[in-house]
Amino acid sequence: MSLSLVQSRALLGLEAAPPFHTKEGQGSGILFIHGFGGNREVWKEVSAALVRDHTVIRVDLPGSGERPGPALVEGGADMFLMPSLYEPCGLNQMYSLAYGTPPLVRATGGLADTVVNYSPAALADGSANGFVCQAATAEAILGTAGLATLVWQDKARWRQLQRNAMAGDFRWTGPARQYLDLYESLRPA
């Protein structure tokens, strides 16, 4: 399984590591962490918990120019973790949804507006497209990641979650039409 994590532009992913990294831990998994943006204390707790069971590799994945590292990690990940403390809009979760990479987000701002939490009922009705954790704590993040891992292990449920994610339409065409219709309805005849 590969996982990608964003918290105010910090990435955590699995698979290919760029050449500049540090390594900690002795566990079976390999995790990549890009930066520690946002709440450093939460990330220290998450990193300490991960090192107990996984190999943790900290890396820098530049996202501009000829090396679109974060986009490659995000598109190739099984899951995208973005437990931001605040996020007025959030584009990364929408990119993840488009790639079929279900996001795991904290309920805040645009993340809460675009990611519908997994439940069997929400999956069945086609609305679930990711995982939402309420608290900004290491325990809440790891607990939600545990649920996501259980769903990931059930390939039929995971594929349906991916299909739901990719079916989302976050283009401006629909909202722009709605605003235009509203303005037209308010215009004097």
Side-chain angles (χ1 to χ4, degrees), residues 172-185:
W172 277 105
T173 309
R177 170 54 50 200
Q178 290 173 336
Y179 279 116
L180 185 59
D181 292 345
L182 174 65
Y183 293 137
E184 290 293 327
S185 74

Side-chain angles (χ1 to χ4, degrees), residues 143-168:
T144 305
L147 169 63
T149 301
L150 290 175
V151 175
W152 176 81
Q153 291 172 346
D154 182 329
K155 296 307 175 196
R157 285 192 297 168
W158 192 257
R159 294 292 179 245
Q160 183 59 50
L161 189 65
Q162 289 178 306
R163 283 191 291 276
N164 293 354
M166 290 185 288

Side-chain angles (χ1 to χ4, degrees), residues 56-102:
V56 177
I57 299 179
R58 289 185 179 85
V59 298
D60 181 21
L61 293 174
S64 60
E66 298 151 27
R67 296 182 60 198
L72 295 175
V73 170
E74 190 168 318
D78 292 310
M79 200 180 315
F80 194 75
L81 182 57
M82 189 173 178
S84 299
L85 293 175
Y86 59 90
E87 193 67 52
C89 174
L91 294 175
N92 287 93
Q93 83 281 6
M94 289 188 275
Y95 301 149
S96 293
L97 291 166
Y99 286 131
T101 303

